[in-house]
Each structure stands twice: as C-alpha cells, then as structure tokens.
C-alpha cells in the first residue's frame, strides 16, 4: 500500500476525471473538494481493500459494502433527483453548467444496506426496473430513469424511450 | 452564444471526430464538407438551443424535433441501408474504405415527425425492435439491425446474433 | 496488403493495447509474446481477409470462422474460468496483478465450430443466456457470467446482478 501523497492524489484524481467524463458523468468542478474525497477513497482502499464511499461508514466486509463502493449504487438516482451523489463527488451536467445548485443529498441507502433482489421466474412482467433504449444508437440499460447522456453515443436523456 | 468562427468550427469538428470514432462510427472523410455541416449544427444550436439536423427544417420545439437532433434517430438505419445518414455527415466503414459510394439518401422521417411508441404490457413478444447480442462481449442493443461495430469491443457486425 | 514489418506490428500492438484497456480488458503483460500473436493476426488478415485466431486452424470461410475471429467468442468465458483466453493474448486483471498464473487453456470450441443458435419465440423464459445488470450504471449484457469490469462505468464484476 503506497503512502497517500499529494502526488498520488493528483494522479488518481486525473485518472478519475478522464474516466468519469469518458463515461458521460461529471466530477464536482471544485477540484480541492474532490481531492479531499479522493484522499478518503485511497484511505478506504488501504483500510478495507476497496474504495468504500468516503462519506459513509463501511463495515469492512466487501460483500455487505458492495452498494457503497464508489461509485455507489445510489449515485445515478441521486444525480437524477438531486443533481449530485450523496458525497457530491459526482454532479449532473446542469450543476457543471451552473444551472442548478448542489444542496445536501438525503441518504437513499436503506439502514444496514440493501436486500439483494431475487429474480422472479415469472417473466418479463416481473423485471425489477424499467429498461431504457437510446433512440439514436439502441443502447439498453435498466435503471429507474435514463442516464444523463448515452454512454455509447452521447445522446441526451430525452432521446431515450422506455423499452420494457 | 459565441460567434461561429472558423476556429470554433475546427475545435468542434475535432471533438466530433474523436467522439465519433470512439463510438465506432465514422464522419464523412471530406473534412470541408463536414465543416459546413458543423457550422449548420452550431447555427441551429444558437437558434434553437439544440443541434437540429442541418439538412432538415426544425420546428424550434425540442420535443417535436427530438428525432432530428444530430445524430438523428434515422442515422443508424440509413448507415445500414445507404452507407450514409441523410446529410452524409456520418458514413459507413465501407464508404470510408472506398468500397461503397454515397448516393442521395431518401428521407426516412415520417412527414411531421414520428409518433411516440407506446410500450405494450403484453410482454416480450410485443417488443417494438429486435434485441441484438454481441457474441464477443455480450453487449445488447435494440435496433433494426446490429451496429457496424460493437461499441464496447469493436467486433464486426456479423459477430452479433439476434437475442430477443 | 502491407508487408508485416516490426514497425507495423508495434503500431498495431499499441492500438490493440489502447483499445483493450479502454474496453475493460487486458493484454498479456509479456509484450514480446503479444507481438508474436499480433504478427499471427496480421498474417491471417493477409491470408483470409480477417484476423482469425493465431492459435487455431481457420477454414478460410469467414462465415464458418466467425467464432474464432479475434477476440473470439470464447475469450470471455475463458477469462472467467481460466484467467486467459485460449492463446493467452488476453488475460484477466488477477493475472496482470500477479495474483493468478496462466496455465494452458483447454479448447472450448466445439469440433467443427458452433451451431448457430435459433431464437425461440416462446418468450423470455427461453433466452439462451442470462442477462446481467451493472448495479452502478444499469448496463445490460448477456453472457454466462458478468464481465470483469463494467465497460461503461468500470464497476467490478461483483457489482453486477442477474437481471433476467
């Protein structure tokens, strides 16, 4: 485990910035704030072996913490509803553009973590989430709402249609 | 709204080229022709607030113009059938390789724009489009035909199979 | 068909390295070994017109060889089970990290190549493979097992859930 120097944080932050933008997401434009969170992620990686959310208390058991490994399972619904994830590490395009302000994001995680969903065998009527289709490229994803931009072709959210 | 200078067009064209290739698509190799279309896209962005197709008449109502925001909903079927989109901004790999010539592409858009599809609740038999699977990486997409290359692993079109 | 020089191999190897990492996969860290395989791929491209697997005997009929065009249809199940593809051109993250050793990978291809699957019309219960969902970004793919990392958001394999 390497020491968490400013250089390591800067390197990791740049990698995260590139990867985030490539996937159609955005980091908080406040780079100093992001650096603090990146330090927290690296500390958690050293402590637990995985990058647990720096704003939540991890159990240290990867299986139980799966949903709060960053990016957490709650990021995308929170981006849709609040314009930021729980930590405000990730923000929506509207926040980056200055059209929306980040306010505190309420905790969406159920106390003690989520129950694992069981897949019903009763067919497609029983799918736990809707499937969205990008009308431009045909990309399919299962989420509460479509992503801000299509990760494949960059089409905007309103180019998605409900598919299943 | 910045003035549309040659520098702005060049910057935007380079960004579009990189993004297009990264997604497994191709711009027309005629860069001067593409520059004209990029100017049209930027003009439409200034006029309407979104990059409506430069070769079609937009209504100015984003909701009604969704299908002709570039890349339009018709690009991919037109690439498959004609080797180019309606504007010939996007072309197929065969056109880039000189194996196919671009001819005028007939308008695929229904007059007045498309009717929004309603999703039937009668299950998977009622899906409005086939789902294709990349046999290499498992990527799924819903389109009339598979994409020219898999956007995830770059496998060619004939590596896709009908999945649903 | 250009001559297969060391320069061409190096250029092609770098392109392959970048594309592979971008998709969430890894090449064998032994660059000399990889260069040998890249030479084989380029030779097959010259001979057959497509990059048939350099470790298998191709028929020369693209249709019949589709499943062994590199990356082959068997790469991903072999990465999951053995940590490497049949050629050991691709290896898993655990192999790159030195946590797992590559051993000979048994041939997974049916003798004479695969039978093409027919899609049953009896609905979703008849899908030939499970559909996996990335709990972070909603990406869907149909594979025997989830990918090592999500190609869209880089979440690890254990962030996937069975969706259908």
């Amino acid at each position: 485990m390497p020491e968490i120097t400013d250089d390591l944080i800067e390197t990791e932050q740049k990698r995260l910035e590139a990867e985030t933008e490539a996937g159609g997401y955005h980091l908080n434009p406040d780079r100093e704030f992001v650096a603090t969170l990146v330090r927290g992620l690296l500390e958690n990686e050293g402590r637990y072996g995985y990058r647990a959310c720096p704003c939540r208390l991890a159990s240290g058991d990867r299986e139980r913490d799966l949903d709060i490994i960053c990016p957490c399972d709650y990021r995308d619904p929170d981006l849709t509803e609040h314009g930021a994830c729980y930590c405000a590490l990730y923000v929506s395009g509207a926040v980056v553009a200055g059209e929306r302000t980040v306010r505190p994001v309420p905790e969406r995680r159920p106390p003690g973590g989520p129950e694992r969903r069981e897949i019903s065998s009763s067919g497609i009527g029983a799918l736990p989430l809707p499937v969205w289709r990008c009308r431009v490229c045909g990309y399919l994803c299962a989420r509460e709402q479509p992503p801000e931009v299509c990760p494949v072709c960059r089409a905007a959210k309103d180019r998605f249609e409900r598919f299943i």
Side-chain angles (χ1 to χ4, degrees), chain A residues 5-162:
Chain A
T5 60
D6 289 349
D7 275 0
L8 179 63
I9 291 173
E10 177 65 16
T11 302
E12 186 50 32
Q13 185 164 351
K14 282 193 174 145
R15 197 197 53 75
L16 187 62
E17 284 164 353
E19 197 172 286
T20 300
E21 290 292 329
Y25 292 89
H26 309 285
L27 294 185
N28 195 313
D30 181 342
R31 291 195 87 244
E32 272 193 61
F33 175 71
V34 169
T36 313
L37 293 171
V38 169
R39 175 180 289 280
L41 287 169
L42 292 171
E43 285 173 355
N44 282 350
E45 186 168 30
R47 191 177 294 144
Y48 304 124
Y50 47 88
R51 299 188 177 191
C53 173
C55 310
R56 288 170 169 122
L57 188 61
S59 74
D61 174 353
R62 181 180 170 104
E63 180 82 16
R64 285 176 56 201
D65 292 341
L66 270 182
D67 62 313
I68 55 167
I69 293 175
C70 184
C72 69
D73 286 12
Y74 313 105
R75 176 188 63 171
D76 285 23
D78 280 339
L79 284 174
T80 300
E81 192 171 343
H82 303 291
C85 72
Y86 185 62
C87 292
L89 173 59
Y90 293 94
V91 297
S92 69
V95 169
V96 172
E99 298 158 11
R100 185 172 179 174
T101 311
V102 173
R103 296 171 176 284
V105 174
E107 175 59 290
R108 184 183 290 269
R109 189 190 200 208
E115 293 187 51
R116 289 271 143 186
R117 275 197 285 262
E118 294 299 320
I119 297 301
S120 147
S121 58
S122 56
I124 208 162
L127 292 181
L129 283 168
V131 175
W132 302 95
R133 173 184 179 264
C134 172
R135 293 175 63 96
V136 177
C137 72
Y139 174 74
L140 296 173
C141 54
R143 307 159 46 103
E144 293 176 22
Q145 294 294 327
E148 188 167 290
V149 301
C150 173
V152 165
C153 77
R154 307 281 146 183
K157 180 177 186 155
D158 56 6
R159 308 294 295 279
F160 277 82
E161 62 183 356
R162 177 86 185 256

